[in-house]
Amino acid sequence: MKIEIFLRQCYYSPNSSIPNRLRPEWFDKQKIFNNFKFTINSDIANYNIIYDECYGPIDATFLSDETNAYIINCGNESESFLKTLEIVESKNLDDDTIIYFLEDDYLHKENWCEILLEAFTLPIHYVSLYDHLDKYLHYTNLTSTIYHTHSVHWRTVPSTCNTYATKMGQLKEDVNIHKHFSAASPDGISMDHAKFTQLGNMGKVLITPLPGYSTHCDQYQSPTIDWSSYI
């Protein structure tokens, strides 16, 4: 199996101004991208940058020398995700290709590519490498099925953010769901919780590792790990 990564980047994101977006003091997009480049295993993973130029050109950023970039002009998260789906669909990838939709504020541990491959040996449909802290704080009655692969334990979860992986064949099967919960957004932010709730109601299984192999860089970082040491 091969991993094809679609990394969404932008000069500025309106999402950074929403009330619950509290960044850690070490947050730095360039350093997060450096972490991504340092930890990716290029033998099994390829990355594509989807750059939204609505608020600033790519040439004014640390991505100016990147050659594998698609330029879009959207201005909000939901529109950029819909454009990303169009790009993925245009590439005619094999059904067994793992598609990793990645936003530009996620930090990774070493070996995350290998761990992602392990996840897809399980009877599941979707994977996030982010062990959501809010699942422990706000879902006190959450019941999960626990799996294990060679290197890590996994739990089922009801939802994740719009950074996740699935196989291309699964994406084709569910693509109208993914499109709907972005296109129907009232505020320019994909309704990821509603989307994965709907997919779960359809029998699609989403898992995350214990502990996480990535974190969203906000106040709900994956627990038990000093993420500042990875920046």
Side-chain angles (χ1 to χ4, degrees):
M1 285 184 288
K2 185 80 173 182
I3 303 169
E4 197 76 17
I5 303 159
F6 294 85
L7 170 56
R8 288 189 289 157
Q9 291 270 356
C10 60
Y11 190 86
Y12 163 79
S13 171
N15 287 18
S16 63
S17 300
I18 62 179
N20 67 345
R21 183 67 74 245
L22 301 176
R23 300 297 194 186
E25 62 181 12
W26 44 258
F27 179 77
D28 182 290
K29 276 192 177 184
Q30 183 169 357
K31 290 180 179 179
I32 289 170
F33 183 66
N34 291 343
N35 161 269
F36 169 77
K37 294 285 290 285
F38 180 74
T39 57
I40 190 174
N41 182 344
S42 58
D43 290 334
I44 58 176
N46 177 63
Y47 72 91
N48 311 268
I49 294 171
I50 316 298
Y51 186 84
D52 190 345
E53 282 199 334
C54 181
Y55 295 101
I58 193 171
D59 289 342
T61 75
F62 54 87
L63 300 167
S64 58
D65 293 330
E66 293 289 328
T67 57
N68 52 340
Y70 294 83
I71 304 301
I72 61 176
N73 197 309
C74 296
N76 63 53
E77 188 278 329
S78 57
E79 289 295 329
S80 74
F81 184 71
L82 289 169
K83 285 291 184 183
T84 300
L85 283 173
E86 289 181 15
I87 291 167
V88 174
E89 290 179 302
S90 73
K91 291 179 72 69
N92 296 316
L93 297 166
D94 292 340
D95 283 355
D96 281 338
T97 303
I98 295 171
I99 308 299
Y100 185 22
F101 295 105
L102 177 59
E103 295 163 288
D104 61 7
D105 55 354
Y106 279 74
L107 202 59
H108 290 79
K109 291 168 60 178
E110 297 90 345
N111 300 318
W112 62 267
C113 292
E114 291 82 354
I115 296 302
L116 199 54
L117 290 183
E118 284 189 27
F120 283 97
T121 65
L122 295 170
I124 53 86
H125 305 91
Y126 291 91
V127 179
S128 169
L129 295 173
Y130 170 36
D131 183 22
H132 301 236
L133 182 60
D134 66 328
K135 296 296 187 291
Y136 303 92
L137 299 176
H138 305 314
Y139 290 80
T140 56
N141 295 319
L142 179 62
T143 299
S144 296
T145 299
I146 304 297
Y147 297 99
H148 77 87
T149 53
H150 176 73
S151 306
V152 66
H153 285 84
W154 303 84
R155 69 183 297 197
T156 57
V157 291
S159 66
T160 187
C161 303
N162 226 12
T163 286
Y164 61 91
T166 190
K167 286 188 176 181
M168 186 66 203
Q170 189 66 54
L171 182 64
K172 290 177 183 176
E173 183 177 317
D174 299 333
V175 71
N176 288 336
I177 299 292
H178 293 281
K179 289 179 178 178
H180 168 75
F181 284 98
S182 290
S185 167
D187 57 7
I189 302 173
S190 298
M191 296 180 285
D192 44 49
H193 177 76
K195 172 169 72 175
F196 280 99
T197 298
Q198 174 67 23
L199 289 168
N201 291 338
M202 296 165 59
K204 309 304 169 68
V205 178
L206 165 67
I207 59 172
T208 58
L210 298 168
Y213 269 77
S214 77
T215 191
H216 192 199
C217 296
D218 67 0
Q219 75 270 38
Y220 293 122
Q221 295 164 44
S222 294
T224 77
I225 298 163
D226 176 13
W227 288 103
S228 66
S229 66
Y230 287 91
I231 194 70

